[in-house]
Amino acid sequence: MQIKFIDIQNFRKLKSVRIELSEKTTLFVGANNSGKTSAMVALRYFLVDPNLFCINDFTISNWPTIDKFGDTWEKSQASDCHTLVEWGDILPTLDVWLKVEKNEIHHVCHILPSLSWSDQDLLGVRLRLEPKNIEEFYKEYITARKTAKETIKEAKQGTEKCSIDLWPKSMSDFLEKRLASQFEIHPY
């Protein structure tokens, strides 16, 4: 079995990149700050140690969208309208494409997409960092924001000048502390 190529999306500075792997040795070569380390870290986090993910592993250009989700959640106050679909385009994802030989089929038979699959086809596995339970995530976020806002409101009563900011200020701020408890790797 050989990994033919991997696709990485929305991981750090890697918005969308494909890395083709040779049969023997693959070297990452590129200018400083071009994403070589990010690619290696993505492989490590997705394949070896998923507990190391943090908010900084989300592509930074997606942070405003993440914060917008939080604003929308706060305004709607209806948990039944929140689905994983809205998060799909911004979640860190690793696609692994395998070339599986006939004599190796027993290793992957439980993940074959259909009975018509042949060993001439590549077999793809998607690993995506996503909320464990979108409803629980929603509830915990709304509760934390509500508590912060009420505390600030109470602190401002009776004082003319009070500049206080409590956690969480936004969804990205919330995920800075709660990503590990709210997100996990899901295979497809």
Side-chain angles (χ1 to χ4, degrees):
M1 191 170 342
Q2 178 195 358
I3 299 175
K4 294 298 273 183
F5 58 88
I6 57 171
D7 291 322
I8 303 170
Q9 299 91 32
N10 300 313
F11 185 83
R12 296 185 181 181
K13 68 170 36 193
L14 304 175
K15 189 74 171 161
S16 180
V17 66
R18 173 168 286 180
I19 301 168
E20 295 190 24
L21 303 173
S22 95
E23 288 186 34
K24 293 185 180 184
T25 303
T26 299
L27 297 175
F28 288 180
V29 178
N32 287 341
N33 208 24
S34 63
K36 300 178 301 293
T37 300
S38 291
M40 292 302 298
V41 171
L43 290 171
R44 178 178 176 206
Y45 286 11
F46 277 104
L47 301 174
V48 179
D49 209 347
N51 296 325
L52 296 178
F53 277 102
C54 69
I55 187 64
N56 294 327
D57 297 321
F58 283 73
T59 300
I60 198 164
S61 64
N62 290 333
W63 285 21
T65 304
I66 291 169
D67 289 339
K68 193 181 229 179
F69 291 157
D71 293 342
T72 302
W73 283 10
E74 287 181 65
K75 290 174 186 162
S76 71
Q77 294 295 314
S79 64
D80 60 339
C81 69
H82 308 298
T83 66
L84 192 55
V85 173
E86 63 189 352
W87 287 81
D89 291 338
I90 65 163
L91 295 172
T93 305
L94 178 78
D95 296 337
V96 180
W97 292 92
L98 303 168
K99 174 68 177 154
V100 181
E101 301 298 332
K102 279 187 179 183
N103 64 346
E104 300 169 320
I105 198 93
H106 63 283
H107 293 297
V108 296
C109 62
H110 61 289
I111 62 170
L112 291 178
S114 73
L115 294 176
S116 64
W117 182 85
S118 82
D119 65 339
Q120 300 304 308
D121 300 325
L122 292 179
L123 179 62
V125 177
R126 169 163 284 180
L127 302 171
R128 186 166 75 171
L129 183 68
E130 60 188 48
K132 295 176 185 178
N133 180 318
I134 197 80
E135 291 296 318
E136 292 301 316
F137 177 29
Y138 168 81
K139 288 176 189 173
E140 189 173 334
Y141 175 72
I142 292 300
T143 300
R145 284 292 292 153
K146 193 176 200 177
T147 302
K149 285 180 177 181
E150 288 171 359
T151 304
I152 291 170
K153 188 176 180 180
E154 288 174 18
K156 288 184 176 182
Q157 287 179 350
T159 62
E160 290 181 25
K161 287 187 176 182
C162 179
S163 61
I164 187 170
D165 240 351
L166 295 178
W167 177 89
K169 296 177 277 212
S170 64
M171 178 67 80
S172 56
D173 192 34
F174 177 80
L175 290 175
E176 196 169 327
K177 290 186 179 180
R178 295 285 193 266
L179 185 74
S181 68
Q182 293 297 328
F183 279 65
E184 66 186 359
I185 303 279
H186 284 257
Y188 296 96

